[in-house]
Amino acid sequence: MQTTNDVIVIGSGASGGMAAWNLTRQGVDVLMLDAGTRFARAKFWTHVKPWEWNARVDRGDRPPQFYLDTKEQPYDTPQGQPFDLVRVWGRGGKTNVWGRVALRYSDVDFAGPERDGWEIPWPIRYRDIKPYYDKVDQFIGVCGGTDDQDSLPGSPYMLPAAPPRCGERLLQKAGRSVGVSIVAGRRAVLTKPHGGHAACHYCGSCGRGCDVGAFFNASDYLIEPAMETGKLRVMDNAVVARVLVDDEGKANGVQYFDRVTKEEHTLRARVVIVAASCIDSTRILLNSKSTAHPNGIGNSSDVIGRYLSEQIRFHMYGFLPELIGGPTQNDDGIGGEHIYMPRFNHRGAKRDYLRGFGAQFWGSGAQADAGFAKVLPGFGVDFKTAVKKRYPALVALHPYGEVLPRAENRVRVDDAHVDRYGVPVARIEYKIGENEHKMAKEMYDTAEQILRAAKAEIMPFQRGHLDVAGSAIHEHGTCRMGADKKRSALNGFCQMHDVPNVFVVDGAAFTTASEKNPTLTILALAWRATDYLAQEMKSGRV
Amino acid sequence: MLPAAAQHEHPEVVAAYTLKVFSPDEMKRVATLVDLIIPRTDTPGASDAHVPEFIDRKLSLNEELKDRFLAGLRGFDGVLSDSNPFSKLLKEMTIDGYYTSKEGLTQELGWHGNTFLTEFKGCTHADHE
C-alpha cells in the first residue's frame, strides 16, 4: 500500500516554492518534486572576473550549470519558426538567475480584454490580488520608488530605490522633455538587510547567481524555511511526466522518472499542484491522457496548450554626449536597470493596435565588456580611442510589448518525438501577428524619440527587428484562468474547472501576458491560490 | 609584457599557454593582426592582453568557427577592412578578448566593477537631473 501525500508540488521555482511555503506554514504536508538538485551557493562564480573565467575553465572548473541542455530535454518548433525556450531544472528554478524586475499588474492589465474585446477576461481584478502583492513585497523585499501611475500600482512596502546611474538620470530627463515618464525601477533586490537575508553589495553579477542571496530566489527564501517546519520533503532529480487519475478522472498522484537512474516511479497524492513553468507544466498536462481526459487532464475546453503569449522585444543603444570621454564609474549598482518606463499608450489618442508596451534599461553604463565596439568602424589607435570615449556613455533601451493570446499559438505533444524516458516532448508553434508589428512601430518610435531627446549618438539599428520568440523568457497563457469553463481551464484560484484537486500556479495560468515581467504576479497568484486550497482542504471540499 | 609584480598578483592569467589550434606561425600572424586592430599605446595592446591565446581557445571549442577562421586566415591579404568577412570576424573576436582581459578592461577602459560596496550612490551630478 503506497502512502498518500497530502499535496504534491511539481516544480521548485517561484510558483512551486510559494505553494510549498504557504501550505506548509498552514500545517499541510507537502512533497515537492524537483527536476534537478540544489545549486551550491558557495560555488557560484559571482565574483569571478571576466579574465579569470577562461583560466578556470582551462583548469577544468565549471560554473554552476543552471540552464537545461536541449540535448537532454529537446523540444520541437516548426521549420522557420524558432522559439528560444530557457529552462532551469534545479532548486529555485529560474529565480536563481532571474532579472528581478518586480512590477505589479494594474487594472490596465487585468481589464484589458474587456476594454478591447480580444479574448476572454481575467476572472480577477487588481483589488483581488492587491493584498497578495502587499504580502509578497513585504516577504521577498522589493526596492523601488513611490512614483506610481495608473499602469504601475505602488506599494507602501518598498525598500529604498537604487539611485539612477548618470545615463539613466539623463534618460529620465530626456523622457520628461518628450512627455514620457521614466520612473524608479521596482526590483526584488535587497537595498538593506531584509527578512534575515543579506543586503546587496552592488557587484552587479546577479546573472551568475548571488553568492549571498541578496535577491529573492525560491530556494533560500521559500523552500529552506518551509523545510524547517518539518512539513516539506523535497525529492531531487524527479522529472514528472504525468498527473495520474482515478476512474472518475480525479487526480490521485503523479508518474515521474529518476533523472539519474531513469527509472519510472509513481506517487499518490490528494492534491497535485503543477508549477513546472509554463511550457513544461503544459507538456505534463497534455501528456496526462486518460479515459476520463482523452485530451489531457482538465482539458475538456481544449484551451490547454493554446494561447501561448510571450512578449515582443528589441534593443536600442546610444551614447550620451554628457558622458562621452568622461571618467569611468562603477555602474554595477543592483545589476540591471534602476529605472523603468511604464506603459503610457492607454492615454491620449487611440492606437491602431491593442494593448501596450513598457521599457527596461539594463546594460546602461560601464559594463564588464565592450560589445558595442563591434559596430564602431575602423582599426588601430583611432578605433581604440573611439571605444574608450564611448565606454562610460552607453545607454540601452529594451522595450517589451504584450502579445495577444491566439488559439493557434500553442504547445502540443507529439507521440512521434519522445524524450529519453519515452515521454512526448513539447512542440511550440508560435507566431506574432499584425497587432504586434503595429505596436513595434510605436515601440521603435518611442525608443528613438527618447534617445534623440537625449541628443544621443544612436547605434545603428534595423527598424522592425524583434528578438527571437521566447527571448524575454516570459511564457504565459497555455492553461489560462477564466470564469467561463468552456473557454478556460482554471478558475481565479488556479484550480482546474474539470479536476478540482489539480492546481496550476505558474505563468501558464495567466489570461493575458501584459508587457510586464510576471514573477511578482506569479508569486501573488500562487500565494492566493494556496490560501484558497488550504481552506478547501480544511473544509473537506478538496 | 606585464610587470613582474602583476604576474605574481594574478598567476593564473599569465600561466604558460599551450596552443590548442594555431601553429606557432599562425599564432605570430594572428598576434600581428590583432595588434593592428588594437595597438599598444600608453596602455597594452591586443597581444599584450593575450588576445591570440583567447582566439586560439575559442576556436578549440567550436569546430565550425575554427574551420571558418583558419580558412579566412589562409586566404587573407592582410588588409583590414570592415567589409571583409574575415577581417570582421577577427575584429569581433579581438574586441571580445581584449575588452574582457584585465589589461583591456581595467587599464584601458578603467572598469573597476564586480566588487563589494556598502552603498551605491548613483549619479551625483546636479547637471544630469
Side-chain angles (χ1 to χ4, degrees):
Chain A
M1 179 73 193
Q2 241 182 324
T3 339
T4 298
N5 298 279
D6 275 355
V7 175
I8 283 180
V9 174
I10 306 168
S12 68
S15 59
M18 175 54 80
W21 175 80
N22 192 35
L23 289 171
T24 51
R25 77 196 186 102
Q26 298 185 49
V28 180
D29 284 303
V30 173
L31 172 63
M32 171 181 276
L33 303 183
D34 182 358
T37 56
R38 193 173 176 203
F39 296 102
R41 192 161 298 285
K43 292 185 180 164
F44 285 6
W45 283 25
T46 317
H47 288 277
V48 176
K49 303 280 193 278
W51 56 88
E52 293 165 352
W53 196 279
N54 288 328
R56 284 195 175 211
V57 172
D58 282 352
R59 284 203 305 262
D61 292 350
R62 290 288 175 275
Q65 301 296 298
F66 291 115
Y67 299 101
L68 179 64
D69 190 339
T70 51
K71 285 195 204 79
E72 179 183 340
Q73 274 297 327
Y75 61 94
D76 288 338
T77 52
Q79 191 71 35
Q81 216 173 300
F83 190 99
D84 278 353
L85 179 63
V86 174
R87 291 170 291 181
V88 175
W89 282 11
R91 205 77 56 81
K94 293 195 289 278
T95 63
N96 286 290
V97 287
W98 69 304
R100 311 167 306 286
V101 179
L103 308 167
R104 292 183 178 208
Y105 277 32
S106 71
D107 277 335
V108 172
D109 304 301
F110 288 118
E114 275 103 313
R115 229 179 16 256
D116 56 41
W118 184 274
E119 275 298 336
I120 64 163
W122 281 82
I124 57 167
R125 284 293 168 274
Y126 182 66
R127 64 174 177 274
D128 300 310
I129 195 173
K130 180 184 181 296
Y132 289 94
Y133 277 137
D134 285 348
K135 290 201 267 192
V136 170
D137 280 351
Q138 290 173 81
F139 183 70
I140 71 171
V142 177
C143 71
T146 52
D147 41 1
D148 315 315
Q149 34 188 279
D150 60 350
S151 50
L152 185 63
S155 167
Y157 306 106
M158 291 282 178
L159 300 176
R165 306 161 177 100
C166 291
E168 293 177 318
R169 211 148 165 237
L170 289 161
L171 287 180
Q172 288 183 305
K173 181 174 158 185
R176 270 198 307 279
S177 76
V178 292
V180 174
S181 156
I182 300 173
V183 302
R186 279 81 168 132
R187 313 277 314 281
V189 180
L190 305 183
T191 48
K192 58 180 196 187
H194 182 81
H197 303 286
C200 177
H201 52 265
Y202 308 107
C203 80
S205 299
C206 321
R208 301 182 199 164
C210 180
D211 59 338
V212 300
F215 65 76
F216 166 76
N217 69 83
S219 181
D220 289 355
Y221 285 53
L222 294 168
I223 296 168
E224 291 303 312
M227 287 177 92
E228 281 166 22
T229 65
K231 293 275 174 191
L232 174 65
R233 197 154 60 89
V234 183
M235 200 178 275
D236 289 341
N237 290 315
V239 181
V240 174
R242 294 175 179 91
V243 179
L244 305 173
V245 296
D246 62 19
D247 291 344
E248 279 118 50
K250 214 177 154 210
N252 66 2
V254 302
Q255 174 203 40
Y256 75 92
F257 291 85
D258 187 303
R259 199 173 167 188
V260 180
T261 66
K262 301 185 179 58
E263 281 168 4
E264 180 192 342
H265 301 276
T266 58
L267 293 161
R268 295 291 161 210
R270 259 175 84 193
V271 178
V272 176
I273 298 182
V274 185
S277 90
C278 182
I279 305 287
D280 275 335
S281 287
T282 305
R283 178 186 170 210
I284 291 168
L285 297 171
L286 292 175
N287 276 327
S288 303
K289 293 185 170 84
S290 58
T291 314
H293 304 287
N295 198 22
I297 190 166
N299 196 19
S300 66
S301 61
D302 192 34
V303 302
I304 298 181
R306 296 182 182 274
Y307 305 105
L308 174 62
S309 313
E310 220 256 336
Q311 290 162 347
I312 53 169
R313 187 180 85 167
F314 64 87
H315 318 278
M316 199 181 286
Y317 302 90
F319 306 101
L320 300 185
E322 292 88 343
L323 306 176
I324 290 179
T328 295
Q329 307 183 71
N330 180 344
D331 288 324
D332 287 343
I334 61 171
E337 68 275 296
H338 295 182
I339 57 175
Y340 181 73
M341 185 193 82
R343 184 193 290 208
F344 60 82
N345 71 346
H346 55 294
R347 305 180 199 120
K350 196 167 157 39
R351 279 21 182 209
D352 65 347
Y353 61 88
L354 309 179
R355 313 292 164 88
F357 61 93
Q360 300 180 27
F361 300 87
W362 36 270
S364 296
Q367 305 295 304
D369 61 26
F372 67 84
K374 293 176 189 175
V375 301
L376 297 182
F379 306 88
V381 175
D382 289 350
F383 171 74
K384 191 179 177 186
T385 309
V387 175
K388 184 176 166 63
K389 275 170 60 181
R390 284 164 183 79
Y391 174 69
L394 180 70
V395 288
L397 280 72
H398 315 281
Y400 284 63
E402 178 170 349
V403 173
L404 290 175
R406 295 185 181 88
E408 63 273 21
N409 279 342
R410 65 188 297 195
V411 177
R412 299 174 196 256
V413 290
D414 177 2
D415 291 340
H417 187 182
V418 297
D419 69 6
R420 55 170 63 180
Y421 314 113
V423 180
V425 305
R427 176 180 168 84
I428 305 171
E429 300 170 1
Y430 181 84
K431 266 198 273 202
I432 59 162
E434 194 51 34
N435 193 68
E436 288 76 33
H437 288 297
K438 284 181 180 166
M439 188 191 297
K441 187 178 177 308
E442 187 173 2
M443 291 162 74
Y444 265 95
D445 289 345
T446 304
E448 192 177 358
Q449 187 187 23
I450 294 167
L451 284 173
R452 291 214 181 285
K455 300 191 166 49
E457 177 188 319
I458 303 176
M459 274 171 62
F461 61 88
Q462 192 191 333
R463 183 171 281 274
H465 169 84
L466 297 169
D467 278 359
V468 174
S471 301
I473 323 181
H474 296 157
E475 309 95 37
H476 319 70
T478 46
C479 186
R480 67 187 186 182
M481 58 168 67
D484 182 349
K485 294 180 184 187
K486 292 200 174 63
R487 301 188 70 195
S488 61
L490 310 175
N491 66 21
F493 294 101
C494 301
Q495 181 183 34
M496 280 195 154
H497 294 307
D498 294 351
V499 192
N501 67 337
V502 175
F503 287 69
V504 181
V505 294
D506 56 34
F510 283 43
T511 313
T512 65
S514 175
E515 73 283 5
K516 290 172 183 163
N517 310 50
T519 304
L520 193 77
T521 304
I522 289 173
L523 287 167
L525 285 176
W527 194 328
R528 183 169 181 269
T530 44
D531 269 1
Y532 169 82
L533 170 59
Q535 278 307 313
E536 292 292 284
M537 289 179 80
K538 272 181 203 137
S539 69
R541 281 189 295 272
V542 170
Chain B
M1 277 303 293
L2 283 172
Q7 292 191 31
H8 286 296
E9 197 184 336
H10 291 281
E12 61 186 4
V13 179
V14 291
Y17 181 82
T18 311
L19 288 177
K20 299 172 199 290
V21 172
F22 292 145
S23 67
D25 279 353
E26 287 167 336
M27 185 70 174
K28 263 187 223 152
R29 180 123 197 264
V30 168
T32 307
L33 290 170
V34 298
D35 279 340
L36 289 173
I37 297 170
I38 301 179
R40 185 187 298 171
T41 52
D42 55 343
T43 62
S47 61
D48 296 329
H50 308 281
V51 169
E53 290 92 324
F54 174 90
I55 295 175
D56 183 69
R57 182 188 286 107
K58 282 274 180 209
L59 300 186
S60 75
L61 300 170
N62 184 332
E63 198 69 24
E64 183 277 327
L65 184 66
K66 180 177 92 180
D67 294 346
R68 186 151 53 95
F69 188 96
L70 291 178
L73 182 64
R74 270 180 227 116
F76 188 55
D77 62 5
V79 182
L80 292 166
S81 148
D82 283 319
S83 56
N84 174 299
F86 175 72
S87 176
K88 197 167 146 49
L89 175 65
L90 185 66
K91 180 176 172 179
E92 289 180 357
M93 294 185 82
T94 303
I95 287 165
D96 284 337
Y98 182 72
Y99 294 113
T100 57
S101 71
K102 187 166 196 283
E103 295 81 357
L105 196 53
T106 65
Q107 288 178 250
E108 167 65 5
L109 296 180
W111 179 76
H112 50 285
N114 195 349
T115 181
F116 297 83
L117 304 175
T118 52
E119 187 190 8
F120 184 81
K121 287 201 172 71
C123 173
T124 53
H125 309 93
D127 55 328
H128 294 168
E129 178 88 66

